[in-house]
Amino acid sequence: YNDFVSSDKSLNKEVITCVCEGVISFQTKTILESLDDEAKEFLGDTNQLQPKFIVAPYFYLSPTLFREWLSVTIACYVETKNILSDSQVFLALVVSKEAIEEDYTHIIQALSLLKPDGILLWIDEHIEEELSKPGILRYVDFLKRLKDTTGTIYNIHGGYLSILLCHPDVNILNGVG
């Protein structure tokens, strides 16, 4: 975290920009450039392999440094969106189960101001099949509030409950990874 903070305790814009440019380059160029000639010939038009959206740099939101890393993740999203203003940019929300259980309202408040193009959600150690009824209600409430901040949410590690939440009549999630 300290690499992202200036001596005055504000986020270091130069570091944020450098990280974002590297991640963008990897997603838009490095992967395609790494294909050998045989793969390029087989695939044909490699322009079709360009990503549908770019994932901004993200960091694990642990219970101990949750707010700090959320601010860095949001700053990276904003900078990536500034660089790629005409592209879809998704925010990856990779968060510990404990941080969600303790205070998910902080995430919702921060993202409601941001309005990301989409969210990729990964709740670490979150096992839907083990949720109690209050746990299910809290999880669905979190997802509904998260959905209000963006039009698209993909749950990267969801289970049967997340699949149900993708149903058009429910429309809380857009897909499960």
Side-chain angles (χ1 to χ4, degrees):
Y1 174 75
N2 292 334
D3 292 339
F4 289 92
V5 179
S6 300
S7 58
D8 66 355
K9 302 293 182 196
S10 65
L11 291 177
N12 186 326
K13 176 123 171 75
E14 290 177 17
V15 172
I16 298 284
T17 300
C18 182
V19 168
C20 293
E21 288 172 346
V23 168
I24 291 167
S25 176
F26 179 78
Q27 292 179 56
T28 60
K29 296 177 186 164
T30 305
I31 294 173
L32 292 177
E33 290 170 357
S34 68
L35 296 173
D36 62 22
D37 290 337
E38 185 178 345
K40 288 178 184 175
E41 183 180 328
F42 175 76
L43 294 171
D45 182 14
T46 56
N47 287 330
Q48 292 182 353
L49 297 176
Q50 285 294 325
K52 300 289 183 213
F53 57 83
I54 297 298
V55 181
Y58 59 91
F59 303 90
Y60 179 66
L61 307 180
S62 69
T64 53
L65 291 173
F66 163 73
R67 291 174 187 259
E68 292 86 345
W69 282 116
L70 180 60
S71 67
V72 173
T73 298
I74 288 173
C76 287
Y77 176 84
V78 169
E79 182 61 18
T80 302
K81 191 63 182 172
N82 285 340
I83 294 168
L84 299 172
S85 58
D86 294 334
S87 299
Q88 285 226 39
V89 177
F90 276 41
L91 181 134
L93 188 57
V94 182
V95 60
S96 74
K97 177 177 73 172
E98 291 82 15
I100 293 285
E101 290 170 352
E102 289 174 20
D103 183 19
Y104 67 75
T105 57
H106 183 75
I107 294 172
I108 302 302
Q109 289 169 349
L111 297 185
S112 66
L113 300 173
L114 188 63
K115 298 285 188 197
D117 295 334
I119 295 175
L120 303 177
L121 177 64
W122 176 351
I123 304 173
D124 190 36
E125 297 184 22
H126 178 77
I127 303 169
E128 293 175 353
E129 295 79 12
E130 295 178 2
L131 291 174
S132 63
K133 185 175 180 178
I136 292 171
L137 295 173
R138 187 171 46 252
Y139 175 58
V140 170
D141 181 61
F142 169 67
L143 293 176
K144 283 180 179 177
R145 291 176 181 216
L146 197 60
K147 182 74 169 193
D148 289 341
T149 70
T150 184
T152 306
I153 302 173
Y154 293 104
N155 188 351
I156 302 302
H157 292 284
Y160 185 68
L161 176 59
S162 287
I163 293 169
L164 291 174
L165 295 174
C166 293
H167 191 278
D169 290 343
V170 179
N171 195 30
I172 293 174
L173 292 173
N174 297 86
V176 180

